[in-house]
């Protein structure tokens, strides 16, 4: 399998911080978030971090991050613990 390089650069569209809520199949709780939105070709992706006790959620769990604006983003959690977690959109 060959990897492709060049031509697929990501463009940062914006960053935001706020107070929101994380909802998974097993839990729902308040979080603070920091996220970056990127554009790569015709795809928009989001990545960032959450502050809040996410220790009840498994690594790789998929959930919904509700932003202050009311918008919800489907995310996968990365290494959740008592301090929070990183995430990426799915």
């Amino acid at each position: 399998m060959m990897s492709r390089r060049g031509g697929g650069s990501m463009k940062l569209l914006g960053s935001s911080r706020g107070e929101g809520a994380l909802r998974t199949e097993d839990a729902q709780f308040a979080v603070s978030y920091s996220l970056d939105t990127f554009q790569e070709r015709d795809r928009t992706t989001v990545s960032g971090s959450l502050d809040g006790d996410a220790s009840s959620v498994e690594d790789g769990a998929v959930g919904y991050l509700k932003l202050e604006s009311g918008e919800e983003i489907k995310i996968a959690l990365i290494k959740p613990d008592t301090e929070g977690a990183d995430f990426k959109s799915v």
Side-chain angles (χ1 to χ4, degrees):
M1 186 175 206
M2 294 175 45
S3 67
R4 290 177 49 153
R5 293 187 177 243
S9 64
M10 287 182 153
K11 177 182 177 184
L12 178 63
L13 297 179
S15 298
S16 64
R17 294 177 155 325
E19 301 296 319
L22 176 65
R23 177 175 50 89
T24 67
E25 189 173 295
D26 301 323
Q28 181 169 335
F29 48 93
V31 294
S32 297
Y33 62 84
S34 174
L35 63 86
D36 296 320
T37 305
F38 297 93
Q39 180 77 39
E40 184 176 20
R41 295 191 183 125
D42 61 348
R43 183 175 166 190
T44 302
T45 60
V46 173
S47 64
S49 61
L50 304 174
D51 290 328
D53 185 354
S55 62
S56 64
V57 182
E58 289 186 31
D59 189 29
V62 174
Y64 293 89
L65 174 61
K66 186 170 187 175
L67 307 180
E68 280 185 347
S69 66
E71 178 183 5
E72 282 193 335
I73 301 171
K74 188 174 183 180
I75 61 170
L77 296 172
I78 303 164
K79 297 183 182 176
D81 60 26
T82 57
E83 307 264 323
D86 291 331
F87 65 87
K88 62 182 178 179
S89 58
V90 292

